[in-house]
């Protein structure tokens, strides 16, 4: 009987060189919202940094855009309303019901203006800012090109 107890207790004891069996670990995959939709993530901070300063339109020098922090002010000659800074957002899609944005592709950046519920495609390089959209008045695409003014 003692011999039987000894055999049973040795079977239940783990061997010295044997690792205890590990429970299978659960793998958790965390994906960004951009990865879920297949869209490229927008570098909002980098683009916002490049936008800072004053920009002057090439074709009409009395139209300017001035970016300060997360606000923008558009100035145009002959408008009744006094220009003021308004908050902007950089998104991958327009959250408003507009008809001037079409043919969005992965990587497109949208300049969204919540105050006026307006959106435009935006591209920016070191010294050139382009706002693009579709004009329902002319039924044609438009490009407004600005050059960055030197401080």
């Amino acid at each position: 009987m003692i011999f039987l107890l000894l055999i049973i207790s040795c079977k239940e004891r783990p061997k010295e060189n044997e690792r205890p069996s590990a429970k299978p670990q659960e793998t958790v995959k965390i994906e960004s919202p951009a990865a879920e939709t297949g869209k490229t993530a927008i570098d909002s901070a980098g683009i916002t940094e490049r936008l800072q300063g004053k920009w002057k339109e090439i074709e009409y020098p009395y139209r300017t855009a001035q970016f300060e922090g997360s606000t923008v002010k558009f100035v145009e000659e002959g408008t009744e309303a006094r220009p003021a800074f308004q908050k902007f957002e950089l998104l991958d899609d327009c959250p408003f019901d507009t008809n001037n944005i079409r043919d969005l592709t992965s990587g497109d950046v949208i300049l969204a203006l919540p105050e006026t519920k307006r959106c435009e495609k935006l591209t920016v390089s070191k010294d050139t800012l382009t706002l693009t959209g579709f004009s329902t008045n002319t039924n044609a695409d438009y490009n407004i090109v600005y050059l960055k003014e030197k401080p």
Side-chain angles (χ1 to χ4, degrees):
M1 182 137 169
I2 295 178
F3 184 69
L4 187 59
L5 281 173
L6 188 58
I7 293 175
I8 293 174
S9 67
C10 286
K11 272 189 173 182
E12 291 180 6
R13 228 169 110 209
K15 296 178 184 172
E16 285 182 30
N17 293 339
E18 187 179 3
R19 292 184 187 160
S21 64
K23 293 181 181 176
Q25 293 184 356
E26 195 174 306
T27 303
V28 178
K29 187 175 180 183
I30 300 173
E31 291 188 7
S32 67
E36 291 174 14
T37 61
K39 294 184 179 180
T40 306
I42 294 174
D43 177 17
S44 294
I47 295 170
T48 299
E49 186 177 323
R50 286 191 302 244
L51 288 171
Q52 298 306 298
K54 194 168 186 178
W55 302 78
K56 186 179 281 195
E57 187 183 340
I58 293 174
E59 292 181 15
Y60 186 67
Y62 302 105
R63 182 181 294 159
T64 61
Q66 185 174 350
F67 290 84
E68 287 185 8
S70 61
T71 62
V72 62
K73 176 171 66 171
F74 291 100
V75 177
E76 188 172 350
E77 183 183 61
T79 56
E80 187 177 319
R82 183 180 171 111
F85 282 96
Q86 59 181 307
K87 184 172 174 34
F88 72 87
E89 297 173 344
L90 299 174
L91 307 170
D92 60 3
D93 199 3
C94 182
F96 313 117
D97 186 21
T98 63
N99 55 4
N100 71 318
I101 301 291
R102 60 184 199 166
D103 302 329
L104 285 178
T105 60
S106 178
D108 281 343
V109 178
I110 300 297
L111 175 72
L113 304 167
E115 259 182 58
T116 55
K117 295 187 177 6
R118 192 174 103 201
C119 292
E120 306 209 36
K121 282 187 197 179
L122 175 141
T123 54
V124 64
S125 67
K126 184 177 179 179
D127 62 351
T128 306
L129 164 66
T130 306
L131 299 178
T132 306
F134 176 76
S135 171
T136 55
N137 295 331
T138 62
N139 280 336
D141 292 329
Y142 63 84
N143 292 308
I144 304 170
V145 181
Y146 297 85
L147 288 179
K148 191 164 199 170
E149 291 188 348
K150 303 215 186 287

